[in-house]
Amino acid sequence: MRFIPPFMRTSFTPKLFQRRSCSAGGLSKGNHQYIEFGIDSNQVGGCEVHYLSDTTAYLRWIYVNGDIVGKGIGTKCMNALKTFLYEKGIRRFDTDTALDNKIAQHYYEKNSFTREGITRSYYTKLKNCSLEENKNE
């Protein structure tokens, strides 16, 4: 499933820290960033964001530490992330879940994401073959 949130500026407790970009160039297309969330200098969760354009980002995954699940910290982390992205010029923020992942779907909808549709998945069966064999196919 694919979700799109409206952006909102809200106050939040968690701070983003130890931002690590995996490729040079900041928020430009094709780059991604690992972000950790912290409260009082303690890491409480993290996420991976991919930048699809100067104004669009994709949330690959997000988590909070297991001992604080269900205490509203995930929502505060999401609000911190949305604020961070909004301040960087991102205006569309996408993510998706497996069709049967009801927990994640509830989390995203609770955090102002809108269900947009169902994406199609593709796969191929891999076999062990050499590069020479692939040239003939």
Side-chain angles (χ1 to χ4, degrees):
M1 307 209 103
R2 191 168 171 209
F3 296 90
I4 314 295
F7 280 93
M8 60 188 81
R9 291 184 167 266
T10 60
S11 61
F12 55 88
T13 303
K15 303 288 185 205
L16 278 64
F17 66 96
Q18 296 182 8
R19 296 182 201 133
R20 299 177 307 221
S21 182
C22 294
S23 46
L27 304 181
S28 62
K29 182 177 178 180
N31 289 341
H32 62 279
Q33 185 173 34
Y34 296 104
I35 299 170
E36 295 178 352
F37 303 105
I39 298 176
D40 299 328
S41 299
N42 297 313
Q43 193 260 344
V44 297
C47 68
E48 181 180 350
V49 175
H50 290 249
Y51 299 99
L52 305 179
S53 73
D54 292 340
T55 59
T56 304
Y58 171 78
L59 179 64
R60 178 122 171 108
W61 48 261
I62 188 169
Y63 77 94
V64 295
N65 296 340
D67 58 334
I68 58 173
V69 170
K71 298 182 179 180
I73 302 299
T75 294
K76 290 179 180 181
C77 290
M78 180 62 79
N79 286 338
L81 177 60
K82 290 190 294 186
T83 299
F84 168 74
L85 294 172
Y86 186 87
E87 289 173 352
K88 300 297 181 193
I90 299 298
R91 296 298 180 263
R92 182 178 172 104
F93 189 32
D94 293 352
T95 194
D96 55 30
T97 70
L99 191 57
D100 62 349
N101 190 343
K102 302 298 183 194
I103 293 171
Q105 292 167 23
H106 174 75
Y107 171 75
Y108 292 126
E109 289 172 351
K110 178 181 167 186
N111 284 283
S112 303
F113 283 72
T114 302
R115 189 179 304 240
E116 187 173 72
I118 297 175
T119 59
R120 301 287 179 232
S121 297
Y122 297 88
Y123 76 96
T124 184
K125 292 183 181 181
L126 299 178
K127 62 181 180 178
N128 189 6
C129 59
S130 71
L131 291 176
E132 290 299 319
E133 291 173 346
N134 286 336
K135 287 181 182 178
N136 297 329
E137 294 182 359

